[in-house]
Amino acid sequence: MSSFSTIAVQAPSILDVGPADLTTDVAVETPVLVDFDEPIAAGSVNPLAVVFSPPVSGSYSLLLDNSRLLFQPSANLAFSTTHTVTSLVGLSHLTGNPLLRTDTLTLPTSS
């Protein structure tokens, strides 16, 4: 009896990002969610996975069998501020193929 396994050769893809780009009046306590088409390697999640401008610190979690990345800011975002969020720098799936595309979101917070 023989067995084999398949190895993914394509890079992971982003299915959805929330909140959506240019959503207005984003609540200051809003986390950033990114959904992928396949699981992400936990070891590839790093401080550059989600980068805010102006800078925001926070924590990362992988959910839904590692196919959803959650970035939860440590504190509320600043009121009446447009935050630019670049996500997914350096992420890869379980076999090491890196994500080839990053997303940039513009999130204006409520006043």
Side-chain angles (χ1 to χ4, degrees):
M1 174 185 243
S2 63
S3 66
F4 68 94
S5 59
T6 358
I7 297 176
V9 293
Q10 293 184 322
S13 296
I14 300 167
L15 297 177
D16 194 21
V17 179
D21 189 29
L22 298 174
T23 300
T24 57
D25 292 327
V26 172
V28 295
E29 66 275 359
T30 299
V32 174
L33 296 169
V34 183
D35 290 328
F36 302 96
D37 65 341
E38 57 187 294
I40 296 299
S44 72
V45 177
N46 63 70
L48 297 178
V50 176
V51 178
F52 277 78
S53 179
V56 173
S57 62
S59 60
Y60 301 92
S61 300
L62 284 169
L63 310 169
L64 302 175
D65 294 325
N66 289 6
S67 63
R68 173 177 280 175
L69 176 69
L70 165 73
F71 174 77
Q72 181 66 56
S74 300
N76 286 348
L77 302 175
F79 285 101
S80 302
T81 302
T82 297
H83 294 273
T84 302
V85 182
T86 303
S87 58
L88 317 172
V89 176
L91 295 177
S92 62
H93 66 51
L94 299 176
T95 59
N97 290 335
L99 185 72
L100 298 177
R101 178 183 76 117
T102 60
D103 270 1
T104 299
L105 310 172
T106 302
L107 304 175
T109 55
S110 57
S111 49

